[in-house]
Each structure stands twice: as C-alpha cells, then as structure tokens.
C-alpha cells in the first residue's frame, strides 16, 4: 500500500490532468490497453531478483520534446508522454517518430520522502533505447548506452535541499542508421522489420539505500554437488570490512547460509535439492544482506533454483540437450515480444505474463526470445511458470553475406573497433541481466548472419563468461565449428540438411504459417507470411503436418525446435495469435497434442 501511495504522490507532483491522457492513433490494440491507468502505470516492483521494500515508481506522465540533435534543453515542451512507453507507441499518447537526426527530451519533477532522510537515493532505469543522458537539477549526472539493459545512478549529491527536484533525460537513437544492437527496428518498417523504438521503455524508479549497499546477485547452481554458488556485488567505501550474508530458504525454512566479502563466490550446500524443470518450476527464496562493522545496512529479497543444462551423447552417439541430466526435447515458439499498443512494452504485467501462460498451455516447454531483451519481470514469470528460454543477442550493424545451407559459408561483417566494443559491452550487460534466471538455458550471439563477426571468438567469450549454459553461436547460417549447437532454419516445413556429430543439432526456426484475420491487422498494406491459409482449420492441419514431420526427425538427431511464431507482429501474419492477442488462430487442443508428441519423441 505504501508503495502505491508513493507512486501516486510522485505522479501528482507533475500532473493533475491524468484523465486527459489517451492512446494515440487508430491502430489495433490489446484488451489490456484499456487497463492502463496513467496514475498507476506498471506498478509492480520491476526487479524481482533483487527486491527492496522501499521504493518510488516514477512511471506516469512526463513532458516531452523532439528537437534536432545537439540542442540544449528546450524552454518549452511539445506535450505529455506516458512513461515507460516508447514515443512511437500508441500508449505513449504521442506516436511520433524521432529518427537519427533528432533527440527526444523528457522532463518531470519528483519529491524524496522525508522518511528517506540520511539515505543515498538511487535513480533506476529499466531500459532506455539507445543513448541516455540524465540531468538532475540541471546537472548532467550520468550517461548510458544500450537499449535493452538497466542502469542506476546515485543522485544523492545532486539533490539541492529543496522539496521538489527536476529530472531531465535526453535520448538519441539512430535505429538502423547506427551500429548498435537494435533487433527488428528500422526507419521504414515492412515485412519482417518493425517500427523504431526510441527512449524510455521500461520502468523508472527511485529507492533509498545506505552508502554501502548491494548492487548485484549472481546465483549459479550445481545440482551434481548440491551447491548454489552466489556472488554478491556491492557499492562500498570500505569493502574489506563489509560482510555479505546469503540465506537460502525452502518454503520459509532456512536450509543453507554463507557469509563472506563482496565479490567472493559463496557456496551454499543443500542436500537433495528439489530440481527446477518445466513440469515442476520449483524456486527457493533467498535473502541477501550487507553488514558494516557488525550492523546490517542493506537487505534484499531474491530467489533461485537448482537446475542444470548440458549436452551429452545418447545411446546412439547423437549429441543431445539435457536438463537435469535427462534428455529433454526443447520445443517452443519464436517470440518477438512486440505489442501493437506498446511496441517493446507490454501494456500491463498481466499482459506480459499472458503470452508465457498461453505458450505453456499449447504444450510448449521453451521460448526463443528473438533479437529482443525483455524486462526483468518477464524472466521472473518464465522462472515461475517453468518456461525454458533461449536468449538472443539483438542484432545490429548488419550487411553480411548469408549462407544458411553450408558449413563455413557466408561472410563476416567488417565492424569497426567501436562497434565491436559496443557489442561486447551490451552482450555482457544482457547476460548479467539474465544470468541468475533458471529459465534461461541458451545464449544466442548471432542470428542469420545479421552483423555476425569473429564467430569463434564471440562464442568462446560467451562460453567463458557463463560456462553454466549452452551457446548457440550462429542461429540459422554462417556456421562455424564452435559453440555447443548447430542451428538450422527452414521455411515453411522442417528439414535436416546438415548434421554436426560433435554438437547438438536443432531446428532454430521453421513454420511461419500465415493467416490474415480481418479487423485484427496492423495495416492495410501487404501482410506477410511464409505460407498463407484461409481459416483456422487449414492452419491447424498444416501445423500438425509439420509437427509430425518434425517428430520423425527427432530420432535422427534434432534435439530442439522453434516454431515461427507466437503472435503476428505488424505486417507479419504468421502468429499462433493475432497481434492484438484477441484471436487464437489454431485449434489449441490439437496443437497441444501434437507438441507433446514431438517432445515425447526424445526419451530420457
């Protein structure tokens, strides 16, 4: 209740006309769009893996302006924008494009509760696409590049003692005119390419902390030894004297504890731990605290799980993907994570969860998150629901020659040193975001040669940075002898045209069965699918036909498959659901039955 009150009070300091906000434009929307309340936008705590009790949500109406690049802060703004929805989206209330020649400015005021006196104040951003400069009380306090990952700034030195403080954010995003990772965003959307996303697109919030406080938690399980390895990062002026304590709880009961200094791996032993898997997504609670000179100065809630992802040969000598030391066929949809009303941002947390729940109800056990990164709450929902995740690196700096049907074919992109440094910076931040999520089991550095470079080095770097997961180095082409997985793409039906005897073989994309549903389309231009049908019965029949073909390929070597795709997205109409999530295009019972038969084709 207190958090909701703080959020409301913070909103009230900048806007008394919330009722004036409304979605912009006339494009299709989800039912959740009607549930968006500008006075209480995405009120859930945005970081479930490291949760503090006290915080203040800064979502809501801010002022905005679009100006040519290089200008100073405007003296007048263009109007209001609903944060955290990108300026190009309907739910922002603006729906304007920015482009690489302009910058997007945001402004609002905020107050710091009197109960936070004596604390350091952190200003947190879930994600801002792409380059963000942050000003507090007219002082530039920090900048961040990277459109998919969170960042925090300690604003305490810049609070001027007044009751109300000014917050300004300047954003520049070159979209497909720059080298940065940007996924499917392009200036001129068509086919498989979508609307640009500029600016703040995840929750912004404040929280009070001690000057010494916890900044990160990395939890990696080892089920073979019954050990959870936890590394806690802190911000401290005297880290040597600070003590970190981690407690692991099973149904409220402490089952393991460990103490040590920040940055040191702590090992928590649990005898016969309950293992996390899609059929039983069992989570352990964690409490993490930081003490200074014997006094606790910070404590956060977290969670973790015991599970293992590996690759081993089966009785026939075929490399298989294994979960918890058992063969498991991983099967799921290509999930782009786009919304007709919010673009990158789901209208509500209920909407964010919906696609995951439907995916599991259809009999899938995996999602490939395709060239996009989601808010932390999405991965939390996957952890709770028992949904395996393959996480793509969003593509960028494209221009390669693609060779999908041969080994060692195609060309690498000759990227600049600046582009390469930025790739690894953003990939590291993405991996850091997801590293403690048990649902995430595969890293995908490159897709279909889009911006692919130094493949062997990138795969080795990824594996070295996180040896606990599998690496799918080149999904769909430009294959190199590296990583853990050979990933074929074939449309529309499944096909196995290459086989790697020393790696796991998967069908990383197939399907794309199209059905354009009247009154649920993004535009009146040509709608696109790999194959198109006229009704749900035809789509279902084609889907089941492909599933049977895929099932026959499992004994021959496939260990996973990804069907394109969860929903329609803009001009693509090959989703299992329409873009607005209002129409399910398939017979759900038949699809579930077919999916389960494919998964069962690979025995333990």
């Amino acid at each position: 209740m207190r958090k909701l009150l703080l959020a409301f009070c913070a909103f009230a300091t900048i806007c008394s006309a919330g009722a004036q906000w409304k979605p912009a434009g006339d494009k299709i929307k989800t039912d959740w769009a009607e549930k968006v309340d500008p006075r209480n936008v995405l009120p859930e705590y945005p970081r479930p893996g490291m949760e503090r009790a006290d915080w203040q949500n800064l979502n809501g109406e801010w002022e905005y302006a679009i100006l040519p690049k290089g200008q100073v802060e405007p003296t007048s703004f263009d109007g209001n924008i609903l944060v955290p929805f990108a300026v190009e989206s309907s739910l922002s209330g603006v729906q304007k494009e920015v482009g690489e020649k302009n910058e997007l400015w945001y402004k609002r005021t905020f107050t710091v509760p009197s109960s936070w006196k004596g604390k350091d104040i952190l200003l947190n951003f879930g994600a801002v696409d792409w380059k963000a400069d942050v000003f507090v009380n007219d002082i530039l306090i920090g900048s961040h590049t990277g459109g998919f990952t969170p960042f925090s700034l300690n604003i305490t030195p810049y609070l001027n003692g007044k009751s109300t403080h000014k917050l300004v954010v300047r954003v520049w995003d070159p979209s497909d005119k720059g080298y940065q990772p940007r996924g499917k965003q392009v200036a001129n959307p068509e086919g498989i390419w979508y609307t640009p996303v500029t600016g703040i697109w995840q929750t912004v919030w404040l929280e009070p902390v001690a000057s010494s406080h916890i900044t990160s938690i990395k939890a990696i399980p080892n089920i073979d030894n019954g050990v959870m390895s936890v590394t806690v990062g802190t911000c401290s002026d005297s880290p040597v004297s600070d003590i970190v304590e981690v407690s692991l709880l099973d149904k409220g009961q402490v089952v393991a504890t460990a103490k040590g200094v920040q940055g040191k791996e702590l090992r928590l032993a649990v005898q016969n731990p309950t293992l996390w898997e899609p059929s039983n997504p069992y989570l352990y609670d964690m409490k993490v605290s930081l003490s200074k000179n014997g006094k606790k100065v910070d404590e956060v809630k977290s969670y973790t799980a015991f599970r293992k992802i590996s690759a081993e040969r089966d009785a026939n000598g075929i490399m298989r993907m294994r979960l918890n030391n058992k063969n498991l066929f991983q099967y799921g949809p290509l999930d782009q994570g786009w919304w007709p009303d919010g673009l990158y941002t789901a209208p509500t947390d209920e909407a964010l969860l919906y696609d995951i729940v439907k995916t599991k109800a259809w009999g899938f056990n995996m999602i490939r998150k395709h060239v996009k990164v989601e808010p932390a709450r999405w991965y939390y929902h996957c952890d709770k629901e028992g949904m395996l995740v393959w996480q793509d690196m969003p593509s960028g700096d494209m221009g390669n020659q693609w060779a999908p049907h041969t080994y060692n074919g195609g060309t690498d992109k000759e990227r600049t040193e600046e582009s390469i440094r930025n790739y690894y910076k953003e990939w590291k931040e993405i991996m850091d975001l997801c590293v403690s999520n048990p649902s995430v089991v595969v890293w995908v550095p490159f897709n279909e040669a889009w911006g692919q470079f130094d493949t062997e080095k990138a795969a080795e770097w990824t594996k070295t940075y996180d040896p606990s997961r599998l690496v799918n180095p080149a999904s769909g082409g430009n294959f190199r002898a590296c990583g853990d997985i050979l990933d074929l793409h074939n449309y529309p039906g499944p096909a196995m045209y290459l086989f790697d005897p020393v790696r796991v073989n998967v069908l990383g994309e197939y399907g794309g069965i199209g059905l354009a549903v009247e009154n649920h389309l993004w535009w009146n231009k040509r709608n696109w699918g790999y194959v198109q049908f006229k009704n749900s019965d035809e789509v279902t029949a084609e889907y089941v036909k492909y599933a049977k073909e895929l099932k026959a390929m499992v004994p021959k070597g496939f260990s996973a498959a990804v069907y394109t795709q969860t929903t329609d997205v803009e001009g693509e109409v090959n989703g299992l659901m329409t873009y607005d999530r209002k129409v399910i295009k398939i017979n759900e019972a038949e699809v579930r039955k077919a999916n389960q038969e494919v998964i069962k084709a690979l025995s333990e």
Side-chain angles (χ1 to χ4, degrees), residues 197-218:
V197 171
T198 303
I200 299 169
W201 67 274
Q202 290 186 31
T203 292
V204 185
W205 79 101
L206 299 172
E207 58 185 345
V209 295
S211 57
S212 294
H213 55 270
I214 297 162
T215 57
S216 64
I217 303 170
K218 178 182 179 181

Side-chain angles (χ1 to χ4, degrees), residues 8-212:
F8 177 79
C9 292
F11 175 83
T13 63
I14 64 161
C15 180
S16 61
Q20 296 179 2
W21 168 86
K22 63 178 181 180
D26 58 0
K27 291 185 180 294
I28 57 173
K29 297 173 181 61
T30 66
D31 287 336
W32 295 283
E34 299 176 359
K35 298 180 180 180
V36 174
D37 180 354
R39 296 163 299 180
N40 195 26
V41 185
L42 295 175
E44 298 81 12
Y45 189 81
R47 191 184 55 207
M50 199 176 82
E51 182 175 353
R52 290 190 173 92
D54 219 0
W55 66 293
Q56 182 184 123
N57 195 330
L58 296 187
N59 292 343
E61 288 193 73
W62 299 33
E63 293 181 85
Y64 86 96
I66 299 173
L67 293 178
K69 192 172 184 284
Q71 302 294 305
V72 297
E73 179 188 332
T75 54
S76 63
F77 283 70
D78 298 343
N80 284 1
I81 182 171
L82 190 63
V83 170
F85 299 105
V87 67
E88 296 91 348
S89 73
S90 172
L91 290 179
S92 71
V94 178
Q95 206 173 57
K96 293 180 181 178
E97 293 190 7
V98 179
E100 81 281 5
K101 296 181 179 179
N102 296 317
E103 291 173 326
L104 173 62
W105 291 79
Y106 295 85
K107 185 176 79 170
R108 65 159 291 158
T109 59
F110 65 91
T111 60
V112 176
S114 59
S115 60
W116 293 4
K117 186 177 180 179
K119 296 281 192 177
D120 280 11
I121 308 303
L122 299 183
L123 172 62
N124 303 302
F125 293 85
V128 182
D129 196 357
W130 175 69
K131 182 180 186 294
D133 300 313
V134 182
F135 304 79
V136 172
N137 293 326
D138 299 314
I139 300 172
L140 176 62
I141 67 165
S143 301
H144 180 263
T145 55
F148 299 95
T149 49
F151 62 97
S152 298
L153 300 167
N154 190 328
I155 65 173
T156 313
Y158 313 102
L159 302 179
N160 53 22
K162 297 180 181 179
S163 60
T164 302
H165 304 280
K166 177 183 174 184
L167 172 58
V168 171
V169 181
R170 176 179 62 201
V171 180
W172 176 65
D173 179 19
S175 189
D176 57 335
K177 303 300 189 294
Y179 59 71
Q180 83 291 348
R182 42 91 178 176
K184 292 289 193 80
Q185 301 178 55
V186 293
N188 298 301
E190 62 177 351
I192 67 169
W193 308 104
Y194 317 141
T195 301
V197 171
T198 303
I200 299 169
W201 67 274
Q202 290 186 31
T203 292
V204 185
W205 79 101
L206 299 172
E207 58 185 345
V209 295
S211 57
S212 294

Side-chain angles (χ1 to χ4, degrees), residues 223-524:
I223 69 168
D224 297 325
N225 295 329
V227 169
M228 183 67 64
S229 296
V230 181
T231 306
V232 179
T234 68
C235 175
S236 176
D237 53 6
S238 56
V240 176
S241 63
D242 293 350
I243 299 297
V244 169
E245 182 173 2
V246 179
S247 298
L248 204 60
L249 295 89
D250 184 356
K251 298 179 181 177
Q253 299 297 313
V254 175
V255 293
T257 60
K259 290 183 180 181
V261 297
Q262 73 88 26
K264 179 182 178 181
E265 182 181 289
L266 304 178
R267 294 167 60 85
L268 292 87
V270 177
Q271 195 170 23
N272 299 319
T274 302
L275 302 184
W276 183 99
E277 57 188 6
S279 61
N280 183 35
Y282 194 86
L283 301 177
Y284 287 79
D285 291 324
M286 272 201 307
K287 288 184 179 179
V288 182
S289 63
L290 176 66
S291 296
K292 194 177 192 66
N293 299 320
K295 181 182 177 181
K296 187 184 295 184
V297 294
D298 193 17
E299 184 174 68
V300 297
K301 291 196 305 181
S302 186
Y303 68 93
T304 189
F306 285 88
R307 70 98 184 89
K308 175 184 177 182
I309 182 72
S310 60
E312 295 180 26
R313 296 190 185 278
D314 66 10
N316 297 314
I318 298 172
M319 291 296 291
R320 295 296 188 183
M321 202 176 300
R322 291 164 68 84
L323 183 71
N324 299 335
N325 296 322
K326 297 178 181 179
N327 293 338
L328 177 67
F329 191 90
Q330 297 189 22
Y331 194 20
L334 193 76
D335 192 318
Q336 316 264 15
W338 285 70
W339 301 83
D341 31 36
L343 298 181
Y344 262 12
T345 311
T348 66
D349 194 62
E350 179 186 5
L352 192 68
L353 173 61
Y354 177 81
D355 286 3
I356 301 168
V357 171
K358 289 305 295 184
T359 299
K360 192 161 189 182
W362 291 331
F364 294 114
N365 60 14
M366 175 265 282
I367 290 171
R368 180 180 171 198
K369 181 50 61 178
H370 190 44
V371 295
K372 188 206 174 189
V373 180
E374 292 291 355
R377 290 195 63 85
W378 185 86
Y379 300 96
Y380 166 68
H381 289 318
C382 288
D383 294 340
K384 288 194 69 177
E385 296 299 319
M387 184 59 67
L388 299 165
V389 175
W390 294 10
Q391 180 59 56
D392 285 13
M393 170 61 167
S395 46
D397 205 356
M398 302 182 195
N400 304 43
Q401 179 183 345
W402 180 36
H405 291 96
T406 61
Y407 234 119
N408 296 316
T411 62
D412 275 9
K413 176 67 187 288
E414 294 185 9
R415 297 171 75 148
T416 65
E417 286 301 316
E418 182 181 24
S419 174
I420 291 172
R421 283 195 303 272
N422 185 75
Y423 172 93
Y424 283 111
K425 170 194 173 293
E426 294 202 38
W427 189 215
K428 176 182 179 297
E429 291 182 356
I430 290 166
M431 292 177 68
D432 287 343
L433 171 68
C434 304
V435 72
S436 294
N437 291 102
S439 56
V440 178
V441 293
V442 173
W443 300 118
V444 188
F446 298 114
N447 176 75
E448 292 189 348
W450 296 343
Q452 187 171 332
F453 71 98
D454 293 344
T455 312
E456 295 90 344
K457 291 181 181 179
E460 182 181 7
W461 184 93
T462 303
K463 191 71 172 183
T464 300
Y465 193 64
D466 180 19
S468 72
R469 291 175 172 87
L470 301 182
V471 177
N472 181 355
S475 181
N478 287 24
F479 306 117
R480 308 289 185 258
C482 61
D484 301 300
I485 296 171
L486 174 69
D487 180 339
L488 309 182
H489 292 185
N490 198 74
Y491 288 100
M496 181 184 288
Y497 45 84
L498 289 176
F499 183 82
D500 190 327
V502 300
R503 291 176 180 83
V504 175
N505 294 265
V506 306
L507 182 63
E509 292 184 31
Y510 83 100
I513 302 169
L515 174 62
V517 181
E518 191 175 353
N519 299 321
H520 299 275
L521 301 175
W522 176 252
W523 55 32
N524 293 323

Side-chain angles (χ1 to χ4, degrees), residues 529-594:
Y530 289 94
V531 288
Q532 297 233 22
F533 292 90
K534 296 178 181 179
N535 56 55
S536 175
D537 289 342
E538 291 181 353
V539 170
T540 301
E542 193 74 358
Y543 183 95
V544 172
K545 182 183 81 173
Y546 292 162
K548 290 179 179 178
E549 293 172 1
L550 175 61
K551 179 182 176 181
M553 296 175 188
V554 174
K556 299 176 182 178
F558 274 152
S559 293
V562 177
Y563 176 81
T564 301
Q565 61 183 334
T566 309
T567 73
D568 294 349
V569 185
E570 299 203 356
E572 290 190 66
V573 293
N574 50 15
L576 298 169
M577 292 185 284
T578 55
Y579 196 16
D580 57 14
R581 278 73 167 173
K582 293 180 179 179
V583 178
I584 308 296
K585 298 189 194 178
I586 39 92
N587 181 308
E588 297 179 273
E590 289 189 37
V591 166
R592 177 180 175 83
K593 181 175 181 291

